[in-house]
Amino acid sequence: MANKNGFVAAMDGLPWIVKVLLCIPVLDIVWAVYRIVKGVSKKDAFMVVIGVLWIIPGCVFCWIIDIICTLFLGRPKFFA
């Protein structure tokens, strides 16, 4: 469990510009993995499902949601 929380903490601790760069279409998969790991560590099945579903649509259109949330809120907070 320490590795899961460590990954989430590491992602939360990234500089703002790196978080924004990880929101571009192909790299947005990183935020999908973040949602999956965070959901597993919190034992939140809904967040795990959202993370899994975020992988394919994330490359197509969900990256826009992530980039907007990251620009205004500091990290992708949509279901995270």
Side-chain angles (χ1 to χ4, degrees):
M1 181 108 101
N3 291 338
K4 296 174 196 162
N5 291 334
F7 175 74
V8 172
M11 292 298 290
D12 287 339
L14 288 174
W16 177 79
I17 190 69
V18 174
K19 290 179 184 179
V20 171
L21 290 174
L22 288 175
C23 291
I24 61 174
V26 174
L27 296 178
D28 195 53
I29 291 173
V30 173
W31 290 117
V33 172
Y34 169 81
R35 286 176 175 90
I36 294 168
V37 172
K38 190 170 182 179
V40 169
S41 68
K42 288 178 136 184
K43 295 179 176 60
D44 184 355
F46 181 70
M47 191 178 298
V48 172
V49 169
I50 292 298
V52 170
L53 292 175
W54 206 270
I55 292 173
I56 301 300
C59 291
V60 179
F61 67 89
C62 293
W63 66 274
I64 297 169
I65 296 168
D66 276 349
I67 203 161
I68 290 170
C69 289
T70 303
L71 287 172
F72 291 108
L73 304 174
R75 69 181 175 128
K77 293 189 179 198
F78 190 73
F79 293 117

